[in-house]
């Protein structure tokens, strides 16, 4: 799912219109999407009036339905909105936020209007603008192929983080993990043109 799938949708509790979704509140530590940032007036585009926990969402379709309206204080989270400027650690303008991708309410990638893509792990600050930290060393932030995630992490986190690397080192599987990531392919045949290859 994407941030653009939510922005502009009306928020309903039962049959009562309560507001409109403007953005997301995301934990920069865990990348979990914690809040919907909303305005009371559907015509309002920039100023948020309240936030609601994503745990209150019952359905997302043409509108967003909530079990109840319990406004929350979105502390310790980055507020991400579309069209906010994105800057590198050195102050280079990288475009404006075009979208944010998330799966199972965990943010994965940020996209700009200049066809750039950055892992959400690279965000160091976010409010009126998004500031990215220095480029992460390979392979931090890389997506782990779905069929390999359970081999390297007990969580459903599909990207390489420092704990995932430490876990792979403990299991003597760091090379196997690296070769499972693009641009490599771990699933090479064991026998190729009569030459045996080691099975990782």
């Amino acid at each position: 799912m994407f941030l653009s799938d939510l922005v502009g949708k009306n928020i309903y509790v039962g049959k009562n219109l309560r507001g409109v979704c403007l953005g997301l509140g995301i934990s920069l530590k865990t990348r979990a999407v914690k809040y919907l940032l909303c305005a009371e007036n559907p015509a309002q585009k920039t100023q948020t009036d309240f936030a609601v926990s994503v745990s209150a969402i019952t359905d997302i379709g043409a509108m967003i339905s909530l079990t109840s309206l319990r406004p929350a204080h979105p502390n310790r989270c980055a507020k991400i909105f579309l069209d906010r400027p994105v800057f590198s650690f050195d102050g280079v303008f990288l475009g404006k936020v075009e979208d944010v991708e998330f799966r199972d309410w965990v943010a994965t990638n940020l996209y700009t209007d200049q066809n750039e893509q950055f892992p959400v792990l690279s965000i160091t600050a976010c409010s009126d603008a998004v500031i990215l930290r220095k480029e992460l060393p390979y392979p931090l932030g890389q997506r782990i192929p779905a069929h390999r995630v359970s081999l390297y992490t007990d969580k459903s986190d599909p990207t390489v983080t420092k704990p995932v690397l430490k876990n792979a080192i403990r299991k003597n599987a760091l090379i196997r993990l690296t070769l499972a990531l693009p641009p490599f392919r771990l699933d090479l045949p064991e026998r190729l043109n009569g030459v045996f290859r080691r099975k990782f």
Side-chain angles (χ1 to χ4, degrees):
M1 187 174 282
F2 293 88
L3 173 57
S4 59
D5 295 331
L6 303 177
V7 170
K9 286 192 175 177
N10 291 330
I11 307 284
Y12 278 84
V13 178
K15 295 183 179 179
N16 300 317
L17 176 62
R18 296 299 189 181
V20 63
C21 179
L22 298 181
L24 297 175
I26 297 175
S27 166
L28 290 182
K29 184 175 182 181
T30 65
R31 295 175 294 114
V33 178
K34 300 176 80 173
Y35 306 102
L36 296 182
L37 306 175
C38 311
E40 290 180 0
N41 183 352
Q44 196 165 308
K45 301 295 182 186
T46 56
Q47 182 66 37
T48 58
D49 296 317
F50 63 95
V52 292
S53 172
V54 296
S55 62
I57 298 173
T58 58
D59 185 49
I60 299 174
M63 61 184 182
I64 300 171
S65 300
L66 305 178
T67 53
S68 60
L69 183 63
R70 293 182 182 173
H73 182 65
N75 58 348
R76 295 187 180 180
C77 75
K79 299 175 182 179
I80 298 185
F81 303 92
L82 298 180
D83 295 324
R84 294 291 165 94
V86 179
F87 294 94
S88 72
F89 182 81
D90 300 320
V92 177
F93 177 68
L94 301 171
K96 293 185 177 181
V97 176
E98 186 170 74
D99 227 332
V100 176
E101 181 182 9
F102 56 94
R103 296 183 181 188
D104 298 322
W105 297 108
V106 175
T108 56
N109 294 303
L110 178 142
Y111 301 89
T112 71
D113 60 359
Q114 294 185 1
N115 295 321
E116 295 277 1
Q117 174 183 339
F118 303 97
V120 171
L121 280 172
S122 66
I123 298 174
T124 188
C126 184
S127 185
D128 293 336
V130 176
I131 300 174
L132 305 179
R133 65 181 81 243
K134 288 183 179 179
E135 189 172 334
L136 295 171
Y138 180 84
L140 289 179
Q142 282 278 343
R143 181 178 299 280
I144 303 172
H147 65 285
R148 299 264 177 203
V149 171
S150 61
L151 298 176
Y152 306 108
T153 176
D154 298 331
K155 300 179 181 177
S156 59
D157 188 356
T159 57
V160 177
T161 59
K162 287 182 181 178
V164 168
L165 290 176
K166 289 177 182 177
N167 189 29
I169 291 170
R170 275 195 302 273
K171 294 180 176 181
N172 293 322
L174 184 60
I175 293 175
R176 188 175 3 174
L177 169 62
T178 304
L179 292 177
L181 304 172
F184 307 109
R185 284 191 61 193
L186 181 62
D187 55 348
L188 291 172
E190 291 182 61
R191 182 195 274 282
L192 183 60
N193 295 329
V195 178
F196 286 95
R197 295 183 179 272
R198 181 180 172 197
K199 184 176 181 181
F200 290 94

